[in-house]
């Protein structure tokens, strides 16, 4: 009798435990977002990689990347100001900036440790358009023939320079190209925060149009909008930068904002601004993504580690 009761008790316990485990596995996942907002994800978020996907980033392309560094020269200039030299610019120099062929910081004070360029423009958000024009004039005057492609980034933008270099290596820098995260408003333009890229020919044309006030007025709106407007007057339009699976490569927000389904409410500005239909979740971002924006200094070092050092044993393909 006592043995029967014990057996029945064990059976009930096992049944309850199995039911609990089933409910835990089968219920929708919950993501806790800012302000304790929760988003329920009905479908599993999968980052599974097709074994036949020859473009997967675990494929070894080290030698090809080294050759592209020599053949496809990239100048990176970073918009900054003196108060950010040590807090934001130093992490950039120690992480992604060291992979540019040429790295410049556009500021209003000289700092030889970076180095920074002292542009003769007052600091302040209201002067960003003037500062952008001054920076591109400086690049055109001093570096036009020392690089093939020219990246403008903010001091809170992280760039995977190898992916940028590989992407532009398929294009002729002597033709007018303007790459970045394409937005719809104002006739279309590329996001400033996500970083945008000029070919050498586009640097030439931009240097010409900013001297013509009839086509490129002094009136300042957002600097990235003004860049798009002025380039359009020269026949240079924002190009498509989706990968072969229709995923974006330049990102105006940090990774989690794009990767977590439902992180951004449908009324968030990016849903209406994005030129292409906006996608969140794993299909948001190319395996060969180039930039992420609003990256704080600590995250610069974290991304450096995750991208260039962390490996899962046995995951690399030769």
């Amino acid at each position: 009798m006592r043995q029967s009761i014990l057996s029945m008790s064990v059976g009930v316990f096992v049944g309850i435990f199995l039911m609990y485990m089933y409910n835990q596995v089968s219920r929708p996942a919950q993501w806790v977002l800012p302000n304790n907002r929760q988003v329920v994800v009905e479908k599993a978020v999968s980052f599974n990689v097709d074994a036949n996907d020859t473009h997967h980033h675990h494929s070894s392309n080290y030698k090809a990347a080294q050759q592209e560094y020599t053949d496809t020269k990239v100048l990176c200039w970073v918009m900054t100001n003196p108060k950010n030299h040590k807090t934001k610019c130093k992490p950039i120099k120690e992480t992604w900036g060291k992979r540019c062929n040429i790295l410049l910081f556009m500021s209003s004070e000289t700092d030889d440790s970076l180095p920074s360029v002292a542009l003769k423009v007052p600091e302040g958000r209201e002067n960003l358009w003037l500062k952008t024009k001054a920076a591109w004039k400086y690049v055109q005057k001093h570096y036009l023939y020392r690089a093939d492609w020219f990246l403008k980034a903010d001091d809170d933008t992280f760039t995977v320079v190898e992916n940028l270099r590989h992407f532009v290596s398929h294009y002729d820098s002597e033709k007018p190209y303007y790459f970045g995260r394409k937005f719809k408003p104002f006739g279309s333009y590329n996001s400033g925060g996500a970083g945008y890229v000029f070919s050498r020919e586009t640097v030439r044309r931009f240097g010409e149009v900013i001297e013509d006030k009839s086509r490129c007025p002094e009136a300042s709106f957002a600097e990235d909008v003004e860049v798009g407007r002025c380039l359009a007057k020269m026949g240079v339009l924002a190009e498509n930068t989706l990968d072969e699976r229709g995923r974006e490569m330049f990102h105006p927000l940090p990774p989690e904002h794009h990767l977590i389904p439902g992180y951004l409410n449908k009324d968030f500005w990016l849903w209406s601004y994005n030129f292409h239909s906006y996608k969140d979740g794993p299909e948001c971002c190319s395996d060969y993504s180039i930039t992420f924006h609003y990256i704080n200094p600590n995250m610069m070092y974290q991304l450096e580690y995750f991208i260039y050092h962390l490996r899962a044993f046995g995951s690399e393909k030769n």
Side-chain angles (χ1 to χ4, degrees), residues 102-243:
I102 300 170
L103 175 64
L104 300 172
F105 294 89
M106 297 298 183
S107 184
S108 56
E109 292 182 8
T110 301
D111 185 339
D112 293 335
S113 70
L114 290 175
S116 67
V117 177
L119 301 173
K120 297 179 180 179
V121 178
E123 293 293 352
R125 194 169 186 82
E126 68 278 8
N127 295 311
L128 283 179
W129 174 225
L130 294 177
K131 195 172 180 180
T132 299
K133 290 193 291 184
W136 280 116
K137 285 181 182 178
Y138 183 91
V139 168
Q140 182 185 32
K141 180 178 179 180
H142 297 281
Y143 291 95
L144 184 63
Y145 295 101
R146 294 176 61 183
D148 307 296
W149 297 90
F150 304 80
L151 167 73
K152 176 268 174 185
D154 288 348
D155 58 13
D156 58 353
T157 303
F158 189 95
T159 306
V160 185
V161 182
E162 293 89 344
N163 289 351
L164 167 60
R165 189 176 285 115
H166 182 65
F167 175 75
V168 298
S169 69
H170 298 90
Y171 297 88
D172 183 355
S173 64
E174 294 301 326
K175 294 181 179 179
Y177 288 109
Y178 169 42
F179 294 121
R181 180 62 168 252
K182 191 174 181 179
F183 286 162
K184 282 188 291 191
F186 312 107
S188 83
Y189 66 101
N190 285 326
S191 163
Y196 53 81
V197 183
F198 287 2
S199 62
R200 182 186 294 120
E201 175 58 22
T202 297
V203 176
R204 288 194 192 99
R205 295 193 187 191
F206 191 67
E208 178 183 340
V209 74
I210 57 179
E211 299 295 343
D212 185 347
K213 293 182 181 180
S214 65
R215 290 185 291 177
C216 195
E218 292 288 340
S220 175
F221 193 58
E223 62 91 12
D224 48 6
V225 173
E226 298 293 355
V227 168
R229 285 173 168 173
C230 293
L231 284 176
K233 299 290 179 61
M234 299 296 287
V236 183
L237 302 177
E239 300 277 351
N240 173 44
T241 55
L242 300 180
D243 71 6

Side-chain angles (χ1 to χ4, degrees), residues 28-62:
Q30 289 187 335
W31 300 85
V32 180
L33 305 183
N35 301 320
N36 293 319
R37 181 168 65 89
Q38 289 189 338
V39 171
V40 177
V41 183
E42 298 294 342
K43 293 183 178 180
V45 179
S46 174
F47 288 88
N48 290 341
V49 177
D50 185 349
N52 296 318
D53 182 2
T54 57
H55 296 286
H56 187 240
H57 61 278
H58 283 160
S59 298
S60 179
N61 292 309
Y62 177 78

Side-chain angles (χ1 to χ4, degrees), residues 285-297:
C285 311
S286 172
D287 285 1
Y288 286 93
S289 285
I290 293 171
T291 63
F292 288 96
H293 188 214
Y294 295 126
I295 305 300
N296 64 43

